[in-house]
Amino acid sequence: MADSCCESACGSETARADPRWRRVLWAALLKSLFMMGFSSWVLASAVLAFVNGTTPEPATLALTGGIQVLRQAVTELNTISTAAMQS
């Protein structure tokens, strides 16, 4: 086990040079940017609906719920595949 964070796999030069590691980081960045953009859109539409005195659009709520279900399914599948690879 590593004595400090700098000696762990995420801090080593080997891990940072690994193309798979870089792909994972880019995928995480793109996912974060997408989620931030989508969250901004949902917040803006909610504020606009509040200002206009209307209710939220059902399509917006359905899309948000669908994305959350999909995100959870991907997370679960990733957890299962990671556990299977470690066995």
Side-chain angles (χ1 to χ4, degrees):
M1 201 159 162
D3 294 331
S4 70
C5 177
C6 296
E7 295 174 5
S8 69
C10 63
S12 71
E13 290 297 323
T14 306
R16 286 187 270 179
D18 186 8
R20 291 181 301 168
W21 180 254
R22 290 185 177 269
R23 273 194 303 261
V24 168
L25 291 177
W26 278 108
L29 176 65
L30 290 175
K31 178 183 173 186
S32 298
L33 290 174
F34 173 76
M35 289 175 63
M36 186 173 62
F38 184 72
S39 299
S40 299
W41 174 68
V42 169
L43 180 63
S45 65
V47 168
L48 186 61
F50 178 75
V51 168
N52 291 331
T54 60
T55 58
E57 290 290 324
T60 304
L61 297 174
L63 183 61
T64 304
I67 288 174
Q68 291 301 319
V69 167
L70 182 63
R71 181 196 59 81
Q72 186 64 32
V74 168
T75 302
E76 292 297 326
L77 289 174
N78 189 22
T79 303
I80 291 169
S81 67
T82 302
M85 290 174 65
Q86 291 177 353
S87 300

